[in-house]
Amino acid sequence: MPDPKTELNFSSPYTLVVAVALSAQATDVSVNKATDRLFAVADTPQKMLALGEEGLIPFISSIGLYRGKARNVIALSRIVLEQHGGEAPLNRAALQALPGVGRKTASVVLNELGIEPAIAVDTHVFRVSHRLGLANAATPDKVEAQLHRVVPEDWLPKAHHWLILHGRYTCTARRPKCSGCVISDLCPSRAGLQALGEAN
């Protein structure tokens, strides 16, 4: 996969921020189902504010934690409109100041838009980096720091996606597909997983 991209659907930096904020503890598939309908009617901060929290909820009620996420999306839309002229801010400090946008969300946005090479450590990246021996830290922030030390800077934007997609489709939490893994010969965890009968 020479040019990996996020699987979230978006059409602008603003819709990317919203989609990533909605994706916390949810699958990209479930978020895309919701945002395909949502962004058809509200793809700008102005339209989102016109929809309002109660108007937004029916569009995202299939996503986990939807009430809190609706509150955050409306609040961040107001800030984007009032403080940033309706355009999503594209620097880390301003992004992380938005409600519902933490370090991981900001990293995904900045990396996807080619602004700052970053590795957002979600559950997939955390698991795969440990299994491959790229990291051994106990927290996402520390794993991120370790990955920044071992991944060449030019590869950082792609490494982020490669680790996520590898964890999502091949190196899954349960019964990883070691027999079909293109890097299984490099994996220090393969023998142990297979010996325990935990890998395909």
Side-chain angles (χ1 to χ4, degrees):
M1 190 175 289
D3 192 28
K5 297 288 185 187
T6 182
E7 293 185 317
L8 290 169
N9 296 335
F10 69 97
S11 59
S12 68
Y14 169 74
T15 55
L16 177 59
V17 170
V18 172
V20 178
L22 291 174
S23 72
Q25 299 179 49
T27 65
D28 287 0
V29 171
S30 69
V31 172
N32 285 338
K33 282 182 183 176
T35 57
D36 283 350
R37 291 173 47 243
L38 172 62
F39 292 156
V41 298
D43 60 352
T44 67
Q46 296 91 328
K47 292 177 183 175
M48 197 68 76
L49 289 170
L51 200 58
E53 195 174 321
E54 291 308 310
L56 171 57
I57 283 174
F59 287 98
I60 65 169
S61 59
S62 59
I63 302 172
L65 309 173
Y66 67 89
R67 290 194 183 279
K69 290 177 180 180
R71 192 164 45 251
N72 285 336
V73 167
I74 295 303
L76 75 82
S77 298
R78 184 169 289 108
I79 292 171
V80 167
L81 186 61
E82 294 176 356
Q83 298 181 19
H84 302 286
E87 300 293 329
L90 298 180
N91 67 77
R92 182 173 292 280
L95 277 171
Q96 289 185 204
L98 297 174
V101 178
R103 180 171 179 80
K104 186 171 75 173
T105 296
S107 291
V108 171
V109 171
L110 294 170
N111 190 72
E112 186 64 28
L113 297 177
I115 294 164
E116 177 189 316
I119 295 183
V121 180
D122 67 356
T123 56
H124 299 302
V125 174
F126 191 88
R127 178 178 65 256
V128 172
S129 60
H130 277 81
R131 283 182 178 166
L132 290 177
L134 299 174
N136 61 9
T139 68
D141 286 353
K142 289 180 179 177
V143 167
E144 180 183 350
Q146 289 181 321
L147 290 172
H148 273 273
R149 285 197 292 272
V150 299
V151 177
E153 189 171 343
D154 288 349
W155 293 101
L156 278 174
K158 294 182 179 185
H160 164 77
H161 292 298
W162 284 331
L163 289 167
I164 287 174
L165 296 171
H166 192 64
R168 189 172 289 162
Y169 297 111
T170 303
C171 194
T172 51
R174 295 194 182 110
R175 305 210 43 88
K177 301 171 180 67
C178 295
S179 60
C181 176
V182 296
I183 55 170
S184 62
D185 59 320
L186 303 173
C187 180
S189 302
R190 180 182 182 182
L193 288 165
Q194 289 179 324
L196 293 171
E198 294 178 2
N200 288 325

